Amino acid sequence: MKICVLGGTWFLGRAVAQEALDRGWSVTAFNRGRSGVAPVGTREIHGDRTVPEDLIRLAQEGPWDAVIDTSASELAPRDVLTGAESLEPVAGKYVFVSTVNAYRGWPNEPLTESSEVLDGPADADGDYGRLPANWTGPDWYYGRQKAGAERASVEAFGASRTSVLRPGVILGPGEYVGRLPWWLRRASKGGAILAPGDPNKMIQPVDVRDVAAFALDQAASTGGGAFNVAASLDHETMGGFLRACLDVTGRAGQLVWAPDDLLMENGVVQWTELPLWRTHAGAWSVDSSSAQAAGLRCRPLAETIGATWDWLQGGGMPVEHPRWAEHGISMEKEEKILAQLNG
């Protein structure tokens, strides 16, 4: 197999390139050359996806059996459309990595692939879906952009040659968002650790390496379709997740569980201040049975946690990203809530 990875230098894109090389595939990575380095053995071509001349130059390096698009998170749908149209004549299939945010119901409702996808034209610019500053309703801007980018992929390659992957939370070595690294560092400090909500609540993070493997399986498959990429609904609990963080860091801490209402009364920001904690009904209710039937395999979350800790301990550094700073509760706020629990 010969593939072109749009990205290929950090987190999921790098994991896709490495897994493809491990399979003996030929890998070309197209990126701007600003964020990390592609795995050894990758053929890198530097360029900007928003520059037509760069896309023409990339297409001249084909053909490929498949293109795997892992780097469209900040691109407008029309830029995805232009790029996909440029590559369609020289590629057999297009695998587009989207997000569950593309669903209108996320995170408030349980999701399947038949759930309603947000509006978002294939040719939308980067302003489509922006809301006024005084808007108080749901902010669907990001989801609309991703839904438009999905449509752009299908418009360029056709439904039978396009696989759309909609991951939820992706964790693992190289993570740039900061969710799992924050919990690991907090666990390593020990002491009383504020643990959010119900320890028996099921959660569905998926390992970056498992997403990469599934993306490659889709690249090699015939036919297309959309797939929710998440661990099964019974894969792991929040309690199991945090206990595994304690295990790999030395079990120096003690989990102190706080109910949802107490956390909300104290203004704890869901999803970021205590990463992965969210009370919305659909946040951890994403049906991934179609992906499982198509070959998605999710390793135990404890393996993901251990590999991420090894990466951090070995000097691993994520690509700089503004989302990293969003995650984690302050020591003062944590101590205040712990005091209320002890009082």
Side-chain angles (χ1 to χ4, degrees):
M1 284 283 292
K2 295 176 61 178
I3 64 167
C4 176
V5 181
L6 302 183
T9 59
W10 52 293
F11 203 38
L12 178 57
R14 197 176 201 283
V16 167
Q18 185 61 66
E19 172 68 17
L21 291 168
D22 291 345
R23 295 185 182 193
W25 293 10
S26 172
V27 182
T28 299
F30 180 70
N31 53 68
R32 293 176 297 177
R34 300 176 184 175
S35 302
V37 179
V40 174
T42 303
R43 180 170 180 244
E44 280 197 85
I45 299 173
H46 292 161
D48 191 322
R49 294 179 62 177
T50 65
V51 176
E53 294 78 11
D54 288 353
L55 292 172
I56 292 172
R57 180 166 51 86
L58 173 63
Q60 291 171 344
E61 300 296 328
W64 298 282
D65 297 300
V67 173
I68 303 179
D69 189 348
T70 68
S71 65
S73 61
E74 298 177 3
L75 287 181
R78 68 180 182 186
D79 292 324
V80 174
L81 178 62
T82 299
E85 288 178 337
S86 298
L87 296 174
E88 187 276 331
V90 293
K93 190 166 183 184
Y94 201 87
V95 179
F96 181 75
V97 181
S98 184
T99 168
V100 292
N101 291 75
Y103 289 113
R104 182 176 294 276
W106 193 87
N108 298 309
E109 304 169 5
L111 298 174
T112 69
E113 286 87 357
S114 63
S115 299
E116 181 183 1
V117 175
L118 286 163
D119 60 303
D123 60 352
D125 64 17
D127 288 327
Y128 184 86
R130 288 195 190 278
L131 299 169
N134 60 352
W135 180 261
T136 58
D139 185 356
W140 285 322
Y141 168 71
Y142 180 68
R144 281 172 166 158
Q145 289 281 307
K146 294 308 103 186
E150 291 182 8
R151 293 185 177 100
S153 304
V154 174
E155 184 171 314
F157 272 75
S160 65
R161 296 168 58 205
T162 307
S163 290
V164 173
L165 312 189
R166 298 181 184 132
V169 171
I170 304 176
L171 303 178
E175 184 197 335
Y176 64 90
V177 176
R179 297 182 176 112
L180 178 51
W182 186 84
W183 276 118
L184 285 166
R185 286 169 175 159
R186 178 62 192 90
S188 70
K189 292 178 182 177
I193 299 172
L194 182 64
D198 180 359
N200 295 315
K201 185 178 182 66
M202 304 306 300
I203 61 175
Q204 298 176 272
V206 61
D207 191 292
V208 64
R209 296 163 293 181
D210 297 332
V211 180
F214 184 66
L216 294 176
D217 290 345
Q218 283 301 301
S221 70
T222 57
F227 299 91
N228 294 334
V229 184
S232 61
L233 295 168
D234 60 353
H235 192 66
E236 186 54 273
T237 64
M238 192 68 181
F241 168 76
L242 292 183
R243 286 190 294 273
C245 289
L246 287 173
D247 287 343
V248 301
T249 59
R251 298 185 62 85
Q254 176 188 1
L255 299 175
V256 181
W257 292 91
D260 294 334
D261 56 358
L262 179 63
L263 295 174
M264 290 187 285
E265 288 170 8
N266 281 273
V268 177
V269 180
Q270 298 192 39
W271 213 231
T272 54
E273 280 197 292
L274 291 173
L276 306 186
W277 170 65
R278 201 162 198 166
T279 61
H280 302 72
W284 297 117
S285 189
V286 178
D287 181 5
S288 61
S289 56
S290 293
Q292 308 280 343
L296 174 66
R297 298 293 179 266
C298 295
R299 70 194 69 202
L301 191 51
E303 289 187 17
T304 305
I305 293 167
T308 304
W309 181 244
D310 289 343
W311 167 67
L312 291 170
Q313 291 296 97
M317 293 292 293
V319 171
E320 290 187 12
H321 196 280
R323 294 183 68 183
W324 188 276
E326 297 175 357
H327 291 85
I329 193 169
S330 70
M331 182 181 300
E332 294 75 18
K333 193 169 185 177
E334 181 182 23
E335 289 177 349
K336 174 188 173 184
I337 300 172
L338 287 170
Q340 294 176 30
L341 289 166
N342 292 329

